Amino acid sequence: MSKMPTRTRPAARVPGHPTAKDMRELTRLLQPWHLMTSPLSYGLDNIPPRGPRLFVGNHTLFGLLDAPMLFLELYTKRKIVLRSLGDHIHFRVPLWRDVLRRYGVVDGTRENCAALMAAGESILVFPGGAREVFKRKGEKYKLLWAKRVGFARLAIEYGYPIVPFAAVGADDAWDIVVSGDELIPTPVQAVLQRLGLRTDALIPIVRGIGPTPLPRPERLYFSFAPPVDTQVYRGRFADEAACWEVREQVRRAIEAGVKFLLKERKADPQRELIARLRGMRRVRHG
């Protein structure tokens, strides 16, 4: 008789939770960029109003422009404090890793995710990781997940509903001039090997405002799909077919969300910053 799989043992303790003071400080810190990008969110009512939730979405270029706004949108509109799983590379950088930890980001290990789930936290995962963050030419808004099913396995194991979400805007803030893969055949590859760094973490050379790398202030758009219920797969977290089925449900929902947002953005009369500023001016003087 085959042995029943056992649940992953969570880490000894949950990595520190942001305090109310931390969240107020983060809200103030992010306000200028929030005003510049004027995020629009669709489907917030699809998010379960209480209980643990696993948010899974597409990672945009660099992940720095919209991920903080996603945090802010969910905190200010749904009082959800997200715990994000970050790539290991972030936690090699002094000071930066301390900032991330202060606001609830944890090193994206299976053990840390299990500990957060055991504690019932709301968690943010980008299965594409560094490869999706450091996109290459022609990969705008594409999911680059390889064969990853880890998020689905843990969601099934801990009975977490998965909220698929899509993000549009940040991939248009820059144009990729030189992709990371174009740097691999150069002397950069030898340097990476000596440093023990990964080739999927090669940062592309980009252009934003004019010839500079400063990002264009594109409006940000988010959509949240109805949650994927993992309870129907209860006890099947070691079943590859079940994990793959959940993964594919989430992937299809995210890709549909991206298409929806691109269509909405095309029809948005306030997509451009100048139009948004004019709209705010009319409201103030109306």
Side-chain angles (χ1 to χ4, degrees):
M1 181 180 288
S2 61
K3 199 174 180 181
M4 285 293 290
T6 57
R7 170 173 284 187
T8 300
R9 181 178 296 176
R13 65 184 182 86
V14 178
H17 191 91
T19 65
K21 180 181 178 182
D22 290 333
M23 295 307 298
R24 288 194 300 270
E25 181 182 276
L26 183 62
T27 300
R28 288 194 299 269
L29 184 66
L30 296 177
Q31 274 305 313
W33 188 241
H34 187 274
L35 290 171
M36 289 286 285
T37 56
S38 303
L40 281 180
S41 292
Y42 301 84
L44 286 168
D45 290 340
N46 288 324
I47 300 172
R50 62 187 63 84
R53 294 148 289 202
L54 179 64
F55 291 83
V56 179
N58 61 304
H59 227 336
T60 54
L61 185 59
F62 298 139
L64 295 173
L65 300 184
D66 56 357
M69 292 300 99
L70 178 69
F71 271 64
L72 193 59
E73 284 286 284
L74 291 176
Y75 180 67
T76 57
K77 295 180 179 178
R78 285 296 182 270
K79 297 303 177 187
I80 296 171
V81 177
L82 278 181
R83 305 302 304 278
S84 178
L85 300 182
D87 193 278
H88 309 316
I89 198 169
H90 288 291
F91 296 89
R92 296 182 182 180
V93 184
L95 300 180
W96 173 242
R97 64 189 173 208
D98 298 324
V99 172
L100 294 180
R101 285 169 178 155
R102 179 172 183 178
Y103 297 118
V105 182
V106 302
D107 194 358
T109 65
R110 181 181 177 84
E111 293 73 23
N112 279 344
C113 188
L116 292 173
M117 286 185 165
E121 298 268 14
S122 289
I123 304 166
L124 172 64
V125 175
F126 295 105
R131 177 61 185 85
E132 199 168 280
V133 167
F134 300 128
K135 287 182 168 64
R136 298 167 184 174
K137 293 175 182 175
E139 293 180 345
K140 189 181 292 186
Y141 299 119
K142 286 187 178 180
L143 296 184
L144 305 168
W145 288 6
K147 301 294 183 180
R148 293 177 179 172
V149 296
F151 74 89
R153 190 182 309 284
L154 280 167
I156 293 171
E157 183 176 354
Y158 284 89
Y160 257 63
I162 301 175
V163 180
F165 73 89
V168 160
D171 273 0
D172 294 285
W174 293 281
D175 298 316
I176 297 175
V177 179
V178 180
S179 298
D181 59 326
E182 295 177 273
L183 295 171
I184 292 175
T186 70
V188 172
Q189 184 177 26
V191 173
L192 287 175
Q193 289 173 341
R194 283 198 297 272
L195 295 174
L197 298 177
R198 305 171 347 224
T199 55
D200 68 340
L202 277 177
I203 300 175
I205 298 172
V206 298
R207 181 178 58 238
I209 298 175
T212 76
L214 293 174
R216 295 185 285 268
E218 288 282 339
R219 190 170 206 180
L220 301 178
Y221 303 81
F222 302 106
S223 70
F224 301 89
V228 174
D229 182 11
T230 62
Q231 292 287 351
V232 297
Y233 301 93
R234 188 173 181 178
R236 296 178 61 193
F237 59 89
D239 182 343
E240 290 296 321
C243 294
W244 191 261
E245 191 172 321
V246 169
R247 175 200 189 275
E248 288 301 282
Q249 288 183 60
V250 176
R251 179 189 61 79
R252 288 192 294 269
I254 295 170
E255 290 180 339
V258 168
K259 289 181 181 178
F260 165 77
L261 290 177
L262 290 173
K263 183 178 178 181
E264 288 296 305
R265 183 179 68 171
K266 189 175 181 180
D268 182 7
Q270 292 195 330
R271 175 187 171 182
E272 302 299 332
L273 177 61
I274 292 176
R276 297 198 298 274
L277 292 175
R278 286 173 178 164
M280 286 189 285
R281 185 178 180 183
R282 283 197 295 270
V283 170
R284 283 199 304 268
H285 296 283

